Amino acid sequence: MKKISFSDFSIRVIHSTFNTRFFLAKACQKLPPLAWVVDRMLFAGDDIQVLPRDAATKTHHAGTVQEVELNTIVPVSNENTVLPSQVLREMIKRSRYHFIMDTCICRTSNNCQDYPHDIGCLFLGKGSQRISTKLGRIVSATEAIQHVNRGQEAGLVPIIGRNKIDSVWLNTGPKEELLSICHCCQCCCLWKMTPNLPAGMGSSFSPMEGVELTFNEDICNGCGLCSKEVCFVDAITVMGGTTKRDDQKCRICGRCAEICPKSAVKIEMHDDALKRSLERVKTLVDVELE
């Protein structure tokens, strides 16, 4: 009889239960004891940032480089623009450990028809070296950055942080030793269940530090493009030709800003956004070179 590894078992469980996550999230709202158990098992200590897509973000700086307090010089484009994905690149450069999954567990579980299955999660930190090589491969910093670029080109939203559920299903040990970098689509993302979770659990999944979304109702013509399977947390509704945005649900991923034909939605990074975001990530998992 063929021996089933822990990773094989985990994947089977995820594939068979993935689309029950909405039911489970709603059940947690109604049953506090269940919420407590699920939180302790899968979400305790989580801190996850949604980074806006580069194409949707505007930021302005003087000079040709921005110096952040973490002893890093961050290059800026010709338009003096610092992009959200530079948070990922800086963490990758600092880390000794990089592991890329061959497939996205969410898109394969959901049989995604719109986005590539072969752009999987990127993991940093010592815990990433404990991931089964059946699931992916150890890579260099250069390969990891190329992987991040592929995610941007494919239209995926980068999400970075400590996600306990990854350390559990991948069996990587302490959650403090694994930093997850996901590339999510609006149709299959695990975190689509956020609006159904109890407030305390959903709050661990939040916008990037130092970014702000503004919506100009005077420009918006209520076309509804941004509400049609664009927002993965269902923060946008259109009623009677009027667009409404739920700021409590919105995680500022940038999809609506990209698709809006009137530029009624804008996402801006504050001057200190990169520094603040890096500091927040750095406290979660030690990925520094040894």
Side-chain angles (χ1 to χ4, degrees):
M1 180 181 294
K2 184 179 180 181
K3 185 178 180 180
I4 299 177
S5 67
F6 184 88
S7 59
D8 291 333
F9 175 74
S10 295
I11 289 175
R12 290 184 185 183
V13 170
I14 292 172
H15 282 330
S16 62
T17 63
F18 187 75
N19 287 317
T20 67
R21 68 194 188 281
F22 303 105
F23 171 80
L24 180 61
K26 291 177 182 177
C28 286
Q29 284 196 26
K30 297 178 181 179
L31 301 171
L34 175 63
W36 184 85
V37 171
V38 172
D39 187 44
R40 289 292 297 271
M41 289 180 60
L42 302 176
F43 299 108
D46 278 5
D47 189 355
I48 304 164
Q49 296 184 67
V50 179
L51 307 189
R53 283 185 38 75
D54 286 351
T57 310
K58 295 183 179 180
T59 181
H60 304 282
H61 303 276
T64 57
V65 296
Q66 178 192 20
E67 186 171 355
V68 295
E69 197 170 284
L70 300 177
N71 301 317
T72 301
I73 301 297
V74 182
V76 180
S77 70
N78 293 333
E79 294 79 19
N80 297 328
T81 300
V82 176
L83 302 173
S85 63
Q86 286 182 258
V87 174
L88 309 182
R89 296 185 181 95
E90 291 307 314
M91 293 307 296
I92 288 169
K93 291 175 184 176
R94 293 161 192 242
S95 181
R96 178 179 178 180
Y97 311 102
H98 318 88
F99 187 98
I100 293 176
M101 287 189 63
D102 290 335
T103 60
C104 171
I105 190 70
C106 296
R107 282 189 285 281
T108 55
S109 296
N110 202 44
N111 191 27
C112 185
Q113 301 298 307
D114 299 318
Y115 294 91
H117 288 202
D118 65 345
I119 302 181
C121 289
L122 165 66
F123 296 102
L124 310 181
K126 290 182 180 179
S128 67
Q129 303 305 283
R130 304 184 190 111
I131 301 174
S132 170
T133 52
K134 291 182 178 180
L135 303 179
R137 63 199 187 280
I138 296 171
V139 299
S140 66
T142 299
E143 290 173 297
I145 290 174
Q146 290 172 346
H147 186 72
V148 166
N149 293 341
R150 277 193 68 204
Q152 288 283 339
E153 292 166 2
L156 301 172
V157 172
I159 296 175
I160 183 172
R162 186 168 68 202
N163 192 350
K164 185 177 180 179
I165 195 171
D166 284 335
S167 62
V168 171
W169 84 271
L170 292 169
N171 195 29
T172 60
K175 60 182 182 296
E176 294 81 7
E177 295 186 356
L178 188 71
L179 187 71
S180 302
I181 300 176
C182 301
H183 307 280
C184 295
C185 58
Q186 73 274 17
C187 41
C188 308
C189 180
L190 169 71
W191 292 100
K192 274 179 71 71
M193 67 179 175
T194 301
N196 303 123
L197 287 169
M201 294 166 67
S203 63
S204 64
F205 181 67
S206 57
M208 176 182 172
E209 292 288 331
V211 298
E212 183 177 357
L213 182 148
T214 57
F215 172 52
N216 190 331
E217 295 184 23
D218 294 332
I219 296 177
C220 175
N221 64 0
C223 69
L225 284 176
C226 59
S227 67
K228 297 174 181 176
E229 299 182 355
V230 171
C231 179
F232 69 112
V233 289
D234 297 325
I236 305 170
T237 57
V238 178
M239 297 182 64
T242 301
T243 301
K244 297 294 182 182
R245 181 180 305 277
D246 188 330
D247 293 332
Q248 295 301 311
K249 289 183 177 181
C250 179
R251 296 306 193 267
I252 315 183
C253 69
R255 291 189 181 282
C256 57
E258 281 190 273
I259 202 170
C260 181
K262 295 292 185 179
S263 299
V265 184
K266 293 184 179 179
I267 296 175
E268 294 187 355
M269 289 177 61
H270 297 168
D271 286 351
D272 64 346
L274 187 58
K275 169 187 166 183
R276 289 168 58 187
S277 188
L278 284 169
E279 287 178 336
R280 176 175 163 185
V281 174
K282 192 173 182 291
T283 62
L284 301 176
V285 179
D286 182 12
V287 300
E288 297 291 333
L289 295 171
E290 296 180 350

